[in-house]
Amino acid sequence: QVQLQESGPGLVKPSETLSLTCAVSGFSVSINYYWGWIRQPPGKGLEWVGSVHHSGNTYYNPSLKSRLTISLDTSKNHFSLKLSFVTAADTAVYYCVRHSDSTGTTAFDIWGQGTMVTVSS
Amino acid sequence: EIVLTQSPATLSLSPGDRATLSCRASQSVRSFLAWYQQKPGQAPRLLIYDASNRATGIPARFSGSGSGTDFTLTISSLEPEDFAVYYCQQRSSWPPLTFGGGTKVEIK
């Protein structure tokens, strides 16, 4: 059974860097899938943040691209998100997800439980 | 960026009713559209991918249809556990992957 689990600080100060990690169990991140992040501000809809392919190629939401880094660590079977220079607008529940555009279920088929990150001084 | 517009924003129905949710794309997404269900305090759950394919474990009362710019999610007979928010999402042209704004199905 594939499971994703987010971890990281729940509170980040404005202008600092938000760092989250997603631990993957029951599946190797080296297999042909994308591993991504989606966020949801309180009471609002879903926004795709970005994804990393098993090959290491990255794909970012243009609205966040200048502040965003997503990386894959195959030795630890996890992937990470770093978002720099955060503001209150980055306050959201952050979900890590698996998705594919060519193998099996071609959508966000596996989701982590989500972790709430608040940007505040 | 492909914009997805969902309607209505809220659907007030009773258990046993048929629910019809709409998602319209600003340009063709071919059949590359998915639907998700989200309940309060939970992560979204995939229901339908590539417009009409039910994900693993999804009951047959959920069905998806459409192609190009107009898509529909139908719940044939609402169960109490189906009252939730539903989102559509496209993967035809990315980045960015985009979601619709959601439709809340509430108890009438």
Side-chain angles (χ1 to χ4, degrees):
Chain A
Q1 172 188 3
V2 184
Q3 292 186 312
L4 307 181
Q5 179 65 59
E6 305 90 350
S7 62
L11 181 64
V12 182
K13 289 182 169 53
S15 80
E16 295 191 345
T17 297
L18 181 165
S19 297
L20 296 174
T21 295
C22 182
V24 180
S25 58
F27 200 85
S28 170
V29 298
S30 301
I31 296 178
N32 188 20
Y33 274 85
Y34 296 85
W35 305 93
W37 295 92
I38 290 167
R39 69 182 185 178
Q40 184 171 37
K44 297 189 177 180
L46 301 166
E47 179 184 35
W48 173 73
V49 174
S51 299
V52 57
H53 190 243
H54 76 101
S55 63
N57 291 337
T58 52
Y59 304 83
Y60 297 151
N61 192 315
S63 67
L64 300 169
K65 188 173 183 178
S66 63
R67 301 190 289 128
L68 184 61
T69 302
I70 296 177
S71 59
L72 200 61
D73 187 332
T74 56
S75 66
K76 295 181 180 178
N77 212 44
H78 74 202
F79 59 104
S80 300
L81 171 152
K82 292 187 187 299
L83 184 65
S84 60
F85 302 107
V86 296
T87 70
D90 297 309
T91 293
V93 175
Y94 285 77
Y95 296 100
C96 58
V97 293
R98 184 184 81 167
H99 64 109
S100 167
D101 65 359
S102 61
T103 303
T105 305
T106 48
F108 298 116
D109 65 337
I110 306 293
W111 295 65
Q113 66 184 24
T115 186
M116 180 69 202
V117 179
T118 301
V119 178
S120 175
S121 55
Chain B
E1 171 175 330
I2 295 178
V3 176
L4 299 178
T5 302
Q6 291 187 241
S7 61
T10 304
L11 201 49
S12 298
L13 296 168
S14 301
D17 286 349
R18 182 183 186 88
T20 304
L21 288 67
S22 174
C23 178
R24 177 163 289 177
S26 59
Q27 63 190 76
S28 175
V29 298
R30 297 171 280 175
S31 294
F32 298 142
L33 190 104
W35 291 93
Y36 302 84
Q37 176 194 67
Q38 187 178 33
K39 297 179 182 179
Q42 296 184 15
R45 175 176 71 143
L46 175 66
L47 298 175
I48 302 288
Y49 65 98
D50 290 348
S52 60
N53 297 293
R54 269 190 303 277
T56 302
I58 301 304
R61 64 180 182 273
F62 292 93
S63 63
S65 63
S67 65
T69 61
D70 291 296
F71 298 84
T72 300
L73 174 69
T74 302
I75 310 171
S76 60
S77 178
L78 283 164
E79 296 288 340
E81 62 268 27
D82 299 337
F83 292 91
V85 179
Y86 293 83
Y87 294 96
C88 58
Q89 174 254 323
Q90 68 82 24
R91 67 174 183 91
S92 176
S93 174
W94 69 290
L97 294 162
T98 53
F99 290 89
T103 291
K104 182 180 181 179
V105 178
E106 65 175 23
I107 299 176
K108 187 173 182 179

